[in-house]
C-alpha cells in the first residue's frame, strides 16, 4: 500500500489531492494548522486510512512533527508540499512579504530537507512534489514575495535533483505549476483561465504518477508559460503599466 503525505491538506488543492489518494486506497497522512479540519477529513474516510498531524510549517518543530507522522505511518513513499501563502502586496507591507517567505521558502526547506535525508539515509526511492506556481516563470510586481518564493521552490527542487545524483539516491522530484485555481486564495474575484479545484487536483496526481519533473496546470497555462519565457524581460517590465488600473482586484 502506497504511503502518501500531503503537507497543507486542510483546504484547497492539498485537500483535493489528499481525497484522491484516500479514494485510491492509499495510506494517507495529512497535515495543517487546523486540527479540526484534519479530523473532519479523517472522519469522512475509511477507518485506518488517514493519519493526521496538526503543525505549522513555520515552526522550528515542524520537522519533528513530520518525523512523528512518518513513524506513525510506517514510512512515506511520496510527499506533496501543498502549504502555501500568497498575497498581492502592491503597497509592500513588510509583514505580508516576510510571511510568504516563512511558509513558501523556509517552511518548504524545513520539510524538504528532512524528507530528503530520510530517504537518502535509508536508500529509498522517495518522491517529493511541491505546489509551485506559474508565477515562478516571470516575476509579478503585484506579488513580489509570492512569485519569488514560488521560483525558489522550483529551483530548490532542481538543486536537490542534482544532490540526489551526488549522494547516489533514486529520489524523484516534481514541481507543479498551476495557474489560477478556484480556491480560497482567489475566492470572490474573477481571474482569466480559472481551473476548477477538482480538475487541478486530478492533473496534479496524474503528473506525479508519471514522475514528471515539471508540470504546468493546465494546457492553456502551459501555452501561456511558453510565451512568457519568450518575452524579453524589458518588455515584461514595461507591461506592468497595464496592471495599474486593476490593482484593486488583486
Amino acid at each position: 500500500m502506497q504511503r502518501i503525505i500531503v503537507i497543507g491538506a486542510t483546504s484547497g488543492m492539498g485537500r483535493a489531492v489528499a481525497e484522491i489518494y484516500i479514494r485510491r486506497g492509499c495510506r494517507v497522512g495529512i497535515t495543517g494548522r487546523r486540527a479540526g479540519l484534519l479530523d473532519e477529513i479523517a472522519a469522512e474516510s475509511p477507518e485506518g486510512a488517514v493519519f493526521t498531524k496538526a503543525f505549522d510549517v513555520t515552526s522550528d518543530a515542524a520537522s519533528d512533527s513530520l518525523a512523528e507522522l512518518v513513524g506513525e505511518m510506517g514510512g512515506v513513499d511520496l510527499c506533496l508540499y501543498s502549504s502555501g501563502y500568497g498575497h498581492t502586496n502592491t503597497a509592500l507591507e513588510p509583514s505580508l512579504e516576510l510571511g510568504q517567505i516563512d511558509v513558501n521558502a523556509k517552511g518548504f526547506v524545513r520539510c524538504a530537507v528532512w524528507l530528503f535525508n530520510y530517504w537518502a539515509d535509508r536508500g529509498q526511492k522517495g518522491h517529493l512534489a511541491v505546489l509551485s506556481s506559474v508565477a515562478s516563470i516571470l516575476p509579478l510586481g503585484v506579488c513580489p514575495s509570492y512569485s519569488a518564493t514560488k521560483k525558489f521552490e522550483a529551483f530548490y527542487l532542481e538543486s536537490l535533483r542534482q544532490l540526489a545524483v551526488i549522494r547516489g539516491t533514486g529520489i524523484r522530484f516534481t514541481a507543479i505549476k498551476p495557474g489560477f485555481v478556484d480556491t480560497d486564495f482567489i475566492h470572490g474575484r474573477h481571474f482569466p483561465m480559472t481551473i476548477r479545484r477538482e480538475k487541478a487536483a486530478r492533473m496534479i496526481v496524474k503528473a506525479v504518477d508519471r514522475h514528471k519533473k515539471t508540470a504546468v496546470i493546465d494546457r492553456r497555462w502551459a501555452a501561456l508559460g511558453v510565451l512568457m519565457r519568450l518575452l524579453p524581460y524589458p518588455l515584461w517590465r514595461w507591461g506592468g503599466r497595464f496592471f495599474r488600473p486593476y490593482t484593486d482586484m488583486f
Side-chain angles (χ1 to χ4, degrees):
M1 181 183 297
Q2 194 175 26
R3 299 161 298 184
I4 314 290
I5 289 179
V6 179
I7 298 175
T10 55
S11 63
M13 287 182 283
R15 179 165 182 164
V17 168
E19 289 170 345
I20 290 175
Y21 285 120
I22 292 168
R23 289 195 296 270
R24 280 188 176 187
C26 299
R27 179 175 293 180
V28 181
I30 53 176
T31 85
R33 293 180 294 111
R34 295 170 287 183
L37 292 178
L38 297 176
D39 293 340
E40 178 184 288
I41 298 171
E44 296 172 352
S45 304
E47 185 176 356
V50 175
F51 298 75
T52 66
K53 183 67 67 173
F55 65 87
D56 189 333
V57 296
T58 66
S59 167
D60 290 337
S63 56
D64 294 331
S65 297
L66 179 57
E68 291 173 4
L69 177 60
V70 170
E72 292 168 8
M73 295 177 62
V76 58
D77 305 302
L78 163 68
C79 180
L80 171 67
Y81 188 88
S82 177
S83 289
Y85 175 31
H87 208 292
T88 53
N89 192 17
T90 54
L92 280 185
E93 169 60 41
S95 63
L96 292 179
E97 294 298 282
L98 295 172
Q100 292 170 87
I101 291 170
D102 284 342
V103 175
N104 302 343
K106 295 171 69 176
F108 167 62
V109 169
R110 189 173 283 115
C111 296
V113 164
W114 189 90
L115 287 160
F116 185 100
N117 286 326
Y118 174 86
W119 287 319
D121 292 346
R122 290 164 177 75
Q124 296 178 359
K125 293 183 178 181
H127 189 165
L128 175 61
V130 62
L131 282 188
S132 178
S133 169
V134 293
S136 68
I137 298 174
L138 279 175
L140 298 175
V142 294
C143 49
S145 267
Y146 183 75
S147 55
T149 53
K150 289 303 174 179
K151 177 68 173 181
F152 174 87
E153 288 175 339
F155 214 68
Y156 196 82
L157 278 196
E158 288 298 322
S159 301
L160 291 185
R161 184 173 287 114
Q162 187 183 67
L163 181 58
V165 174
I166 294 170
R167 291 180 57 173
T169 78
I171 302 172
R172 298 185 175 99
F173 305 93
T174 301
I176 309 292
K177 300 180 179 182
F180 295 127
V181 179
D182 186 20
T183 62
D184 291 342
F185 179 51
I186 66 169
H187 183 69
R189 293 175 289 178
H190 300 287
F191 288 95
M193 299 194 298
T194 299
I195 310 163
R196 288 185 300 105
R197 186 187 71 156
E198 292 74 16
K199 178 182 178 181
R202 290 194 299 270
M203 296 181 73
I204 289 167
V205 171
K206 185 176 181 180
V208 172
D209 284 346
R210 293 182 174 182
H211 302 145
K212 286 200 166 188
K213 294 179 180 178
T214 303
V216 178
I217 309 297
D218 56 7
R219 291 181 180 177
R220 298 168 299 171
W221 284 102
L224 182 59
V226 172
L227 294 177
M228 290 170 68
R229 290 184 181 93
L230 294 175
L231 191 67
Y233 184 71
L235 184 59
W236 175 257
R237 183 180 58 195
W238 176 83
R241 66 183 60 193
F242 293 108
F243 285 104
R244 291 175 185 169
Y246 306 107
T247 53
D248 288 342
M249 70 181 288
F250 289 101

